[in-house]
Amino acid sequence: MAELRNIDLNLLVVFQHLLEERNISAVARRLDLSQPAVSNALRRLRTVLGDELFVRTAHGMQPTPQAERLGGPVGEALALLSHTLDATHDFRAADSQRRFRIAMSDVGEIHFMPRLMEQCAHHAPGVRIDSLRLSGADLRREMDAGRVDLAIGAFEDLGSGFMQRMLFRQGYATLFRRGHPTAHEGMGLKAFRAERHLVVSHAAPYGQVNQSLEKAGVALDAHFSVPHFSAVPYIVSTTDLLATVPKKLADTVATHFQLGLLKPPLRVPALQTNLYWHRRFHRDGGNQWLRAMTINTFADAS
């Protein structure tokens, strides 16, 4: 590997973003650079390291084995340096240009992102927030390395080194289009079971609703399904399907899509949504600010 003194730190920043985005245009937008500037940085880094690093394919810029080996150590080093520099001065949200990354599900994006963006626009106009989908070992690794600042949801088994705070608990509601010929609040289990349903097949960590539907006699294989929650209101608003989703999502989309709500006639365990962060960044000023804004905006009063 080339001596460290021969490598411009800015080249490593471009490398790290290319590893995440796999697209030169996306990196240029993220770093507020021109595409030729990003391409030039990659060319210089290839020369210094003696490796292609990224190869253009039909699926984007794919990393070489050498780039994949460098990815973890470079990401950890940049994160450590970034947080060390941040710690040398107080975090001032109004003046900050920091970019935060928060792991959340698609239903989390619908609920959290609009209000987080609104808060940033009012109190921290230079701050940017990226959402991303991670779980399990991938989430632990990214938070360990400092590449993910917070996680919001019902994540399990993050292990030691992580801290958490409950934001709220919620139940479920069933969505139906206004004008549906038979769906209504107060409908019984027999009528509910007889309806056609839209099932979210990849509903983790909300899978208990599918288990409850099955226990109530709704055969999931006999109904329509989508992998994620984001398509649900579009489909329900134009069909006679029912969809049982987390209550806060139902409240958010009902007005926009002219949907009715009913309490499902089945027992579903309440869902708890938590805020998670790594212990290493507990006293980091930016992380503290982002946590406080999230808690003040979304946590149930108790």
Side-chain angles (χ1 to χ4, degrees), residues 42-63:
L42 177 57
R43 179 186 58 77
R44 291 170 58 197
L45 198 54
R46 283 168 168 166
T47 300
V48 171
L49 297 178
D51 188 86
E52 279 293 293
L53 297 178
F54 295 91
V55 178
R56 192 180 301 277
T57 73
H59 303 289
M61 302 288 287
Q62 296 301 312

Side-chain angles (χ1 to χ4, degrees), residues 5-298:
R5 66 188 180 193
N6 294 330
I7 301 179
D8 182 343
L9 180 61
N10 290 316
L11 298 183
L12 295 181
V13 173
V14 171
F15 168 83
Q16 182 61 32
H17 286 301
L18 274 171
L19 200 60
E20 296 168 2
E21 300 286 353
R22 312 292 172 93
N23 182 282
I24 287 178
S25 298
V27 172
R29 289 192 298 270
R30 191 165 171 181
L31 295 177
D32 197 22
L33 297 172
S34 66
Q35 291 186 39
V38 174
S39 297
N40 183 57
L42 177 57
R43 179 186 58 77
R44 291 170 58 197
L45 198 54
R46 283 168 168 166
T47 300
V48 171
L49 297 178
D51 188 86
E52 279 293 293
L53 297 178
F54 295 91
V55 178
R56 192 180 301 277
T57 73
H59 303 289
M61 302 288 287
Q62 296 301 312
T64 65
Q66 171 76 338
E68 290 183 331
R69 285 193 294 271
L70 290 172
V74 167
E76 292 178 15
L78 290 175
L80 178 60
L81 179 59
S82 175
H83 287 291
T84 299
L85 293 175
D86 286 340
T88 62
H89 56 80
D90 293 333
F91 179 81
R92 293 183 292 274
D95 303 322
S96 177
Q97 299 293 313
R98 187 161 164 180
R99 183 179 289 273
F100 294 97
R101 304 183 81 206
I102 304 178
M104 62 182 77
S105 65
D106 65 321
V107 65
E109 288 171 341
I110 294 170
H111 182 69
F112 294 109
M113 286 299 286
R115 294 174 68 186
L116 287 175
M117 292 174 179
E118 182 182 21
Q119 290 293 317
C120 286
H122 282 103
H123 305 294
V127 165
R128 295 294 179 265
I129 295 177
D130 298 329
S131 69
L132 65 159
R133 313 276 176 79
L134 288 171
S135 60
D138 291 335
L139 179 58
R140 289 195 299 273
R141 182 182 63 251
E142 295 298 292
M143 294 185 78
D144 279 338
R147 292 189 290 268
V148 172
D149 299 282
L150 298 178
I152 304 176
F155 300 100
E156 297 179 355
D157 301 325
L158 285 180
S160 61
F162 292 88
M163 307 180 76
Q164 68 182 61
R165 199 263 199 200
M166 188 185 81
L167 291 178
F168 52 78
R169 291 172 62 81
Q170 63 176 316
Y172 288 80
T174 298
L175 294 169
F176 60 93
R177 71 171 181 87
R178 293 180 186 171
H180 191 291
T182 51
H184 59 87
E185 177 59 80
M187 69 187 303
L189 179 58
K190 183 177 180 180
F192 182 84
R193 218 170 20 218
E195 295 289 345
R196 295 188 304 157
H197 294 263
L198 178 64
V199 177
V200 180
S201 57
H202 296 170
Y206 310 98
Q208 63 258 39
V209 68
N210 291 345
Q211 296 172 12
S212 297
L213 286 167
E214 287 188 314
K215 288 180 180 178
V218 178
L220 301 188
D221 290 344
H223 296 276
F224 297 92
S225 70
V226 291
H228 304 293
F229 284 101
S230 53
V232 167
Y234 293 93
I235 297 171
V236 173
S237 66
T238 57
T239 67
D240 285 338
L241 299 176
L242 306 188
T244 302
V245 303
K247 181 67 163 57
K248 289 185 182 291
L249 172 63
D251 291 339
T252 298
V253 303
T255 300
H256 293 295
F257 289 89
Q258 300 296 303
L259 301 175
L261 299 179
L262 65 89
K263 184 176 180 180
L266 45 89
R267 300 180 65 177
V268 187
L271 176 69
Q272 180 168 310
T273 297
N274 297 327
L275 176 67
Y276 303 85
W277 64 98
H278 200 285
R279 189 178 299 275
R280 285 201 298 130
F281 306 112
H282 181 63
R283 297 190 181 279
D284 172 76
N287 196 288
Q288 288 180 327
W289 171 80
L290 184 59
R291 295 194 317 259
M293 180 177 72
T294 304
I295 292 168
N296 291 338
T297 304
F298 299 104

